[in-house]
Amino acid sequence: MKPALLEVMRMNRICRMVLATCLGSFILVIFYFQSMLHPVMRRNPFGVDICCRKGSRSPLQELYNPTQLELSNTNILHQMRRDQVTDTCRANSALSRKRRVLTPNDLKHLVVDEDHELIYCYVPKVACTNWKRLMMVLSGRGKYSDPMEIPANEAHVSANLKTLNQYSIPEINHRLKSYMKFLFVREPFERLVSAYRNKFTQKYNTSFHKRYGTKIIRRQRKNATQEALRRGDDVRFEEFVAYLIDPHTQREEPFNEHWQTVHSLCHPCHIHYDLVGKYETLEEDSNYVLRLAGVGSYLKFPTYAKSTRTTDEMTTEFFQNISSEHQTQLYEVYKLDFLMFNYSVPSYLKLE
């Protein structure tokens, strides 16, 4: 059975298919986003002020008022995902909307493609390298054609992509209203283990070892050797978890983007995302975005077997040595991501 179908069955919610819905006007005044708790519902969000791409329909139009039956059927699933985010924001408003004002720095993860009217919020460890490659192809105006020919390190050069924080406030308003906004999410603890494995178990990541590894070992390891304190390249997962749940950590500075929560990176309770893709259905959801953008006939999401990918079974093993107290505290840190994106509490957790 397909993962998308399993998700629909698990959600077990009444589908509220709204073909033309605008969940909030998102007027930005000194970077203030209008509350989604009282969304403005419009029958047709596609007024004359939305400029279509060279005579074609915009991705927003194709998403909310699809001309193809295949897209219409898929939209039911994505409407349910949007509803899940909105309902979670409402139910957890005190927690999810601690900040009512977003700064330009909060918009640095939102990549803009002017030509196809897309805004993509990238989340590290959720296929963001390949999606940045795709955004470089889409916005490169012919400079790139094959995303996999773009080196991974080049995809992460900030100058190669334009982000929303680089625009003026009126320009930000226009794009938030008129462009299709999307992001991709992943089971929170699987993403966390993936970040740990990549940043703390690979010898080449010396910058992370120096900046974070030495700090984690100094705080969390009793009787650490001078070599470990100097190199910071042998952080244990238990120490990493203890660092994340330590109140001093977040008081000192925000989490690094690789283990920061999705709701803190992309602000889905302040910014309404039209499409939420999932790592579990990555290829299917990615190609859906590309079809909505009108490029699906010649541009596909890159697929290749990655033997080092972090799996659910691997994540289970990493959590075996984490105490139930620390598991409970860590779940509280990532709880909103679990709820917002409809991920069940992992069966291996021993919550207090």
Side-chain angles (χ1 to χ4, degrees), residues 169-229:
I169 292 176
E171 290 171 333
I172 290 172
N173 279 328
H174 169 72
R175 282 154 184 78
L176 286 174
K177 178 182 178 183
S178 306
Y179 289 14
M180 188 178 80
K181 300 164 293 296
F182 67 99
L183 75 163
F184 278 79
V185 300
R186 184 177 186 178
E187 201 279 340
F189 285 169
E190 185 179 299
R191 174 177 169 247
L192 186 66
V193 169
S194 177
Y196 166 78
R197 292 180 64 223
N198 178 248
K199 301 306 177 187
F200 295 109
T201 69
Q202 303 296 325
K203 295 302 180 183
Y204 60 80
N205 266 321
T206 55
S207 62
F208 273 81
H209 302 160
K210 291 291 186 182
R211 178 171 182 183
Y212 297 102
T214 54
K215 182 188 303 183
I216 293 171
I217 291 173
R218 185 172 67 251
R219 290 184 186 173
Q220 306 301 333
R221 187 180 301 179
K222 294 180 180 179
N223 303 317
T225 66
Q226 288 301 311
E227 180 76 358
L229 290 170

Side-chain angles (χ1 to χ4, degrees), residues 279-346:
Y279 192 76
E280 296 76 16
T281 50
L282 177 61
E283 185 176 356
E284 178 183 347
D285 293 344
S286 296
N287 288 328
Y288 178 56
V289 172
L290 295 174
R291 290 200 302 275
L292 291 171
V295 298
S297 61
Y298 59 88
L299 186 60
K300 303 293 182 184
F301 185 80
T303 58
Y304 62 97
K306 190 175 182 181
S307 59
T308 58
R309 176 186 176 274
T310 300
T311 63
D312 180 63
E313 292 77 15
M314 200 179 292
T315 303
T316 301
E317 292 181 15
F318 272 90
F319 272 84
Q320 285 182 347
N321 295 325
I322 306 300
S323 69
S324 58
E325 179 184 4
H326 282 189
Q327 286 185 7
T328 301
Q329 291 175 293
L330 189 67
Y331 178 76
E332 286 301 315
V333 173
Y334 293 92
K335 182 178 180 179
L336 267 185
D337 282 2
F338 276 99
L339 297 175
M340 196 170 290
F341 306 116
N342 199 42
Y343 287 108
S344 303
V345 177

Side-chain angles (χ1 to χ4, degrees), residues 37 88-99 263 267-270 336 340:
L37 300 183
T88 303
C89 290
R90 285 177 176 146
N92 299 274
S93 58
L95 183 62
S96 64
R97 296 185 59 82
K98 285 182 179 179
R99 299 172 56 211
H263 72 266
H267 312 285
C269 291
H270 295 79
L336 267 185
M340 196 170 290

Side-chain angles (χ1 to χ4, degrees), residues 17-21 44-46 50-53 55-76 78 82 116-118 178-180 274-275 287-296:
M17 182 63 180
V18 183
L19 292 180
T21 304
N44 181 6
F46 311 114
I50 295 182
C51 178
C52 298
R53 294 165 295 117
S56 64
R57 289 163 57 83
S58 73
L60 268 186
Q61 288 175 311
E62 198 60 53
L63 174 65
Y64 289 104
N65 189 18
T67 56
Q68 303 175 45
L69 180 61
E70 178 188 2
L71 298 183
S72 178
N73 292 336
T74 305
N75 197 17
I76 296 174
H78 289 283
R82 288 192 293 271
H116 300 89
E117 300 181 355
L118 298 173
S178 306
Y179 289 14
M180 188 178 80
D274 304 289
L275 193 145
N287 288 328
Y288 178 56
V289 172
L290 295 174
R291 290 200 302 275
L292 291 171
V295 298

